[in-house]
């Protein structure tokens, strides 16, 4: 007999299978982003053109999340998880067909479309994995918080390794063979998951209606708004601006210099994501969540959001006082952005827990899909602004925009209220 508060063995096995599939996907996702960014920067794409490459990725994420919750409720969580992995394999195979002889305009359009497919794949996988936690996690104590923090934190650590992998593959194998190698490995993972996935996840219900996706819960709507600006604040520097700034500082224009810059930038992005993931995974212990009420954790979400806003604000001041790229400024950015990553991770972990705490089991895929649509919307805004603001105003404008977006996220988080009958099941 299973002890109270502990998951059933089949539930734990399903959780492990879902986590393994999510890890494999995010490893490829991180590697693909770094491959595309660095490869097309070397080909001469401007910061704005680089941002365009990821626009359809984020737009597709918004559309996918809005509909994926209904699709999963209608056809089951495993179907959306498998579809996400399969679409990522197709996207990688398509990207390998890119011809360097194409005009820049044709290349941008082609990569945007392929990235759009990858965006659909990512958010099908993410929605499936996060929703599964709500249904499989232990029902007592901080079990839900621990399981979602472990899934999200480990996923981000794996994605960080993906950034390093992408930079390494680009430098060693070249663009085409790198994406083909990832497609082969991901296909093997999909086959293994198809064979190993145990029962335990819902199969779907025929009566699910698309209109159920839109939440009537004020908490879910405010949390979704906070998520938009939280992730916009990250991606406004993360997607284009900082990698290109570091490349300008580190590369001397030679082939050897380019390779060294690739590895250095990939390593920094990897370390940032791995740190982010590690802090996410330990956030329940950091906040002593087992002894905290829902009201306490809502208060923590407000406090940590304002603490996060201080970091890019201080970095903005540093950028404004520097006459140009300086060694001390680069060192300050590295340290400051790592601090941002740690504090951002606590914010993200709290959000990921609260969305599952606020929702009810029977509509978990709907609410999680809506919430991650907001997440994708934030990434879209950040992606567009990252190339545009860096090209127009440089480093200081980009960091100042991040500070303002975090402040808006903190204001939205301040509207969250404890539920009268919180559902932590």
């Amino acid at each position: 007999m299973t002890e109270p508060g502990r998951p059933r063995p089949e539930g734990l096995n399903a959780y492990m299978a879902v986590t393994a599939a999510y890890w494999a996907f995010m490893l490829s996702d991180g590697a693909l982003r770094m491959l595309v960014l660095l490869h097309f920067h070397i080909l001469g794409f401007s910061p704005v053109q680089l941002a365009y490459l990821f626009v359809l990725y984020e737009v597709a994420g918004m559309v996918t999340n809005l509909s994926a919750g209904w699709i999963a409720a209608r056809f089951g969580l495993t179907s959306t998880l498998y579809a996400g992995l399969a679409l990522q394999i197709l996207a990688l195979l398509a990207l390998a067909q890119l011809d360097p002889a194409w005009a820049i305009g044709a290349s941008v359009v082609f990569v945007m479309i392929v990235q759009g497919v990858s965006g659909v794949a990512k958010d099908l996988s993410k929605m499936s994995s996060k929703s599964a936690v709500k249904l499989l996690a232990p029902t007592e104590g901080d079990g839900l918080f621990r399981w979602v923090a472990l899934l999200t934190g480990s996923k981000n650590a794996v994605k960080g390794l993906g950034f390093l992998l992408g930079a390494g593959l680009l430098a060693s194998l070249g663009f085409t063979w790198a994406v083909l190698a990832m497609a082969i490995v991901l296909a093997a993972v999909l086959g293994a998951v198809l064979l190993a996935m145990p029962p335990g996840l819902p199969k779907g219900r025929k009566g699910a209606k698309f209109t159920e996706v839109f939440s009537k819960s004020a908490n879910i709507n405010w949390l979704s708004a906070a998520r938009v600006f939280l992730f916009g604040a990250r991606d406004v520097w993360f997607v284009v601006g900082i990698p290109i700034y570091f490349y300008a500082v580190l590369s001397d224009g030679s082939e050897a210099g380019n390779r060294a810059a690739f590895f250095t930038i990939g390593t920094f992005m990897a370390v940032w994501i791995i740190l982010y993931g590690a802090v996410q995974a330990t956030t329940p212990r950091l906040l002593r969540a087992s002894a905290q009420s829902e009201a306490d954790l809502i208060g923590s979400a407000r406090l940590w959001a304002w603490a996060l806003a201080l970091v890019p604000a201080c970095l903005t001041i540093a950028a404004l006082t520097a006459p140009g790229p300086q060694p001390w400024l680069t060192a300050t950015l590295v340290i400051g952005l790592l601090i941002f990553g740690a504090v951002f991770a606590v914010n993200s972990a709290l959000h990921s827990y609260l969305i599952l705490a606020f929702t009810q089991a029977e509509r978990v895929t709907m609410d999680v899909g809506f919430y991650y649509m907001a997440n994708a919307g934030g990434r879209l805004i950040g992606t567009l602004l990252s190339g545009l603001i860096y090209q127009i105003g440089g480093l200081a404008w980009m960091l100042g925009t991040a500070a303002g977006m975090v402040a808006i996220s903190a204001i939205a988080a301040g509207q969250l209220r404890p539920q009268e009958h919180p559902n932590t099941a």
Side-chain angles (χ1 to χ4, degrees):
M1 184 175 179
T2 304
E3 296 178 28
R6 291 185 178 274
R8 297 183 305 277
E10 63 271 21
L12 180 59
N13 290 339
Y15 174 79
M16 292 173 65
V18 166
T19 301
Y22 199 29
W23 282 354
F25 183 93
M26 295 312 297
L27 184 68
S28 73
D29 187 68
L32 181 59
R33 178 171 287 262
M34 188 56 60
L35 276 167
V36 168
L37 180 67
L38 294 177
H39 178 68
F40 286 97
H41 177 61
I42 290 300
L43 292 180
F45 282 37
S46 71
V48 170
Q49 288 171 327
L50 289 171
Y52 285 162
L53 296 178
F54 300 104
V55 165
L56 197 56
Y57 177 94
E58 305 300 356
V59 172
M62 291 181 66
V63 175
T64 301
N65 277 304
L66 188 60
S67 56
W70 172 78
I71 294 171
R74 178 67 177 79
F75 298 102
L77 279 173
T78 51
S79 63
T80 48
L81 180 62
Y82 299 152
L85 290 168
L87 282 173
Q88 182 75 339
I89 294 167
L90 291 175
L92 289 167
L93 292 174
L95 203 55
Q97 308 308 310
L98 183 69
D99 189 339
W102 291 352
I104 284 184
S107 297
V108 168
V109 172
F110 179 77
V111 177
M112 282 180 67
I113 292 171
V114 175
Q115 286 288 93
V117 174
S118 183
V120 172
K122 175 188 176 181
D123 287 292
L124 282 172
S125 299
K126 175 186 281 190
M127 184 281 305
S128 304
S129 302
K130 295 294 179 68
S131 297
V133 175
K134 173 72 174 183
L135 302 171
L136 298 172
T139 58
E140 295 182 1
D142 63 343
L144 177 61
F145 200 171
R146 284 187 290 107
W147 277 40
V148 71
L150 179 61
L151 175 69
T152 306
S154 62
K155 174 268 293 187
N156 283 312
V158 168
K159 185 173 182 177
L161 291 175
F163 281 111
L164 184 57
L165 175 67
L169 288 174
L170 181 62
S172 57
L173 298 181
F175 184 78
T176 301
W177 282 108
V179 293
L180 284 174
M182 288 195 296
I184 292 169
V185 172
L186 203 58
V189 170
L190 175 57
V193 171
L194 282 168
L195 293 173
M197 179 69 75
L201 294 177
K203 303 301 182 184
R205 55 185 174 90
K206 294 183 178 180
K209 297 179 180 178
F210 183 79
T211 53
E212 295 177 45
V213 168
F214 299 98
S215 178
K216 296 179 181 178
S217 165
N219 272 344
I220 288 173
N221 290 332
W222 279 117
L223 185 62
S224 298
R227 193 74 172 184
V228 168
F229 290 98
L230 180 69
F231 271 77
R234 183 198 68 174
D235 282 4
V236 75
W237 62 265
F238 189 83
V239 173
V240 173
I242 283 296
I244 299 307
Y245 173 83
F246 283 159
Y247 180 84
V249 171
L250 297 171
S251 178
D252 60 6
S254 67
E255 183 176 348
N258 287 344
R259 288 185 177 182
F262 289 163
F263 278 113
T264 303
I265 295 167
T267 299
F268 171 76
M269 303 297 275
V271 168
W272 193 93
I273 292 284
I274 291 168
L275 171 68
Y276 166 40
V279 174
Q280 270 189 316
T282 58
T283 294
R285 288 203 304 271
L286 176 67
L287 299 182
R288 299 179 181 177
S290 59
Q292 301 290 317
S293 66
E294 183 180 286
D296 294 330
L297 293 173
I298 288 173
S300 295
R302 300 169 189 155
L303 177 65
W304 282 91
W306 285 113
L308 181 64
L310 291 175
V311 181
C314 292
L315 292 178
T316 301
I317 294 171
L320 287 171
T321 58
Q326 302 286 327
W328 69 264
L329 177 59
T330 301
T332 300
L333 286 171
V334 169
I335 295 169
L337 292 175
L338 289 175
I339 294 171
F340 182 97
V343 182
F344 179 87
V346 176
N347 280 272
S348 182
L350 282 164
H351 286 193
S352 295
Y353 161 72
L354 288 173
I355 184 59
L356 296 180
F358 289 153
T359 191
Q360 298 176 354
E362 61 269 19
R363 58 168 291 117
V364 59
T365 62
M366 304 287 192
D367 287 339
V368 170
F370 180 79
Y371 167 80
Y372 280 111
M373 179 198 70
N375 190 98
R379 294 198 313 262
L380 173 61
I381 294 169
T383 297
L384 289 170
L385 292 178
S386 184
L388 181 63
I389 291 181
Y390 184 76
Q391 187 161 317
I392 293 174
L395 191 65
W397 278 36
M398 181 181 69
L399 294 168
T401 301
M405 294 181 82
V406 178
I408 296 173
S409 179
I411 292 169
Q415 305 304 311
L416 300 176
R417 297 292 181 266
Q419 299 180 132
E420 292 183 8
H421 302 286
N423 182 1
T424 56

